[in-house]
Amino acid sequence: MNGIICELCPRACRLKPGQVGACGARIADAQRVIPLNHGCLSAVHVDPIEKKPLYHFYPGCRALSLGGFGCNLMCRGCQNASISRARADCSDGFRMSHQDIVAHAQKYDCPIIAYTYNEPIVWHEFACETAQAAREAGIKNIMVTAGYVTANMREKIFSHMDAANVDLKGFTETFYRSWAKAELAPVLEHINTKVNEFKEEDGNLYAIYGTPAESLCGLQVEQFRKKFGVVEHVSDRGYVSNSFHCHVSENIGPIQKQDCEKRFWDLLNGGKI
């Protein structure tokens, strides 16, 4: 097949010259895939760092938050659909230079710049260039992302960041496919890779669990029944489906269940039911 494969995310869009990828933010030229509109922003706001949210990362400080256009997930009910599903042609956007962004952060006493609102991975070139200018000025950089990125691009992008919040949209492959038109496994791989890096850096043990405590599964369904009664396929069994477990409505045996789940086992180093 003709075309250029975009290697940024697991979608691996095959694009002909002039064709825009599924994210709406990247376009193929004659030889490669490039940003559709480099440096086009949709928003700039001053937010509390807790809005990102990050835990114990400069608590109480403000972050200059930048948004762009496009996203490589297609979540139903996206609260930022006006920019995440918009094509990055900059007809509704504006531009700021890296230097202007840094100066803006300094003017409003923001020790942090956040790349957020839509998926910053699809405009990572501008985000990373801005992050470099920010670092030279002593400003930290954070990214709020869905983590839907290939292993080859992961380090290239996140080496410019001082912290990141990876938004895990759900706990099942079925949910990711139906809700976000994406795959769960690459996101878990990304989170697991970063956890292992943290462990190497500071010696602390970080664990990723694929399920809440078993005792909560029964408690949650009891609480649900008290308020809403017995709902078919939701609370008609004595537990709540969670993690990457099969839904309660599925007629599946334990061996089939293990076969469905096994590809996630190595990505959840803290345990699973």
Side-chain angles (χ1 to χ4, degrees):
M1 294 177 64
N2 295 328
I4 302 169
I5 296 177
C6 179
E7 299 178 351
L8 177 60
C9 88
R11 290 191 182 281
C13 295
R14 184 181 293 273
L15 307 173
K16 296 179 180 179
Q19 187 176 4
V20 177
C23 64
R26 307 188 70 78
I27 188 171
D29 64 10
Q31 298 179 319
R32 55 183 181 153
V33 179
I34 60 175
L36 176 61
N37 215 313
H38 187 73
C40 178
L41 297 175
S42 63
V44 56
H45 294 292
V46 175
D47 292 324
I49 188 63
E50 287 78 11
K51 183 181 175 182
K52 298 302 115 188
L54 288 173
Y55 183 63
H56 284 185
F57 184 83
Y58 289 77
C61 289
R62 289 178 288 193
L64 183 69
S65 299
L66 306 177
F69 290 95
C71 185
N72 56 354
L73 266 62
M74 301 173 185
C75 301
R76 294 183 287 166
C78 174
Q79 64 178 352
N80 290 323
S82 60
I83 58 174
S84 68
R85 299 316 316 151
R87 184 164 166 162
D89 58 9
C90 223
S91 59
D92 295 319
F94 60 93
R95 297 183 184 279
M96 293 177 70
S97 69
H98 311 309
Q99 293 72 24
D100 287 342
I101 292 170
V102 170
H104 205 63
Q106 293 170 329
K107 177 181 178 180
Y108 292 101
D109 193 26
C110 297
I112 304 158
I113 294 177
Y115 310 92
T116 179
Y117 299 138
N118 74 312
E119 177 52 70
I121 283 176
V122 302
W123 50 283
H124 68 89
E125 293 92 344
F126 186 77
C128 291
E129 292 164 5
T130 303
Q132 181 60 39
R135 279 188 173 175
E136 293 172 359
I139 296 173
K140 300 294 184 181
N141 297 277
I142 65 174
M143 184 172 280
V144 180
T145 173
Y148 205 54
V149 62
T150 60
N152 290 338
M153 294 299 297
R154 185 184 298 133
E155 181 59 27
K156 179 179 179 180
I157 296 172
F158 287 92
S159 62
H160 294 274
M161 300 297 139
D162 298 289
N165 177 18
V166 179
D167 291 332
L168 188 63
K169 306 297 183 180
F171 295 99
T172 68
E173 196 71 81
T174 300
F175 178 88
Y176 256 78
R177 290 171 181 168
S178 64
W179 185 264
K181 292 184 172 60
E183 303 289 328
L184 171 62
V187 182
L188 291 180
E189 289 169 5
H190 171 71
I191 295 173
N192 199 61
T193 297
K194 299 308 294 184
V195 164
N196 289 334
E197 289 177 7
F198 299 152
K199 180 181 177 182
E200 290 294 324
E201 289 176 7
D202 58 30
N204 293 329
L205 176 62
Y206 297 86
I208 303 175
Y209 286 84
T211 179
E214 291 183 66
S215 60
L216 294 179
C217 298
L219 176 62
Q220 288 169 348
V221 78
E222 289 177 8
Q223 294 171 337
F224 186 96
R225 286 175 175 176
K226 286 181 180 179
K227 188 169 185 178
F228 301 104
V230 177
V231 179
E232 186 179 5
H233 300 328
V234 177
S235 59
D236 55 352
R237 299 195 184 186
Y239 59 90
V240 175
S241 293
N242 56 76
S243 183
F244 47 78
H245 291 187
C246 300
H247 192 269
V248 294
S249 64
E250 295 188 47
N251 182 18
I252 188 170
I255 302 303
Q256 292 172 290
K257 181 175 182 293
Q258 297 295 314
D259 289 341
C260 292
E261 295 176 354
K262 64 183 179 181
R263 65 193 183 111
F264 297 111
W265 292 345
D266 291 338
L267 302 176
L268 299 162
N269 59 0
K272 49 270 173 184
I273 296 177

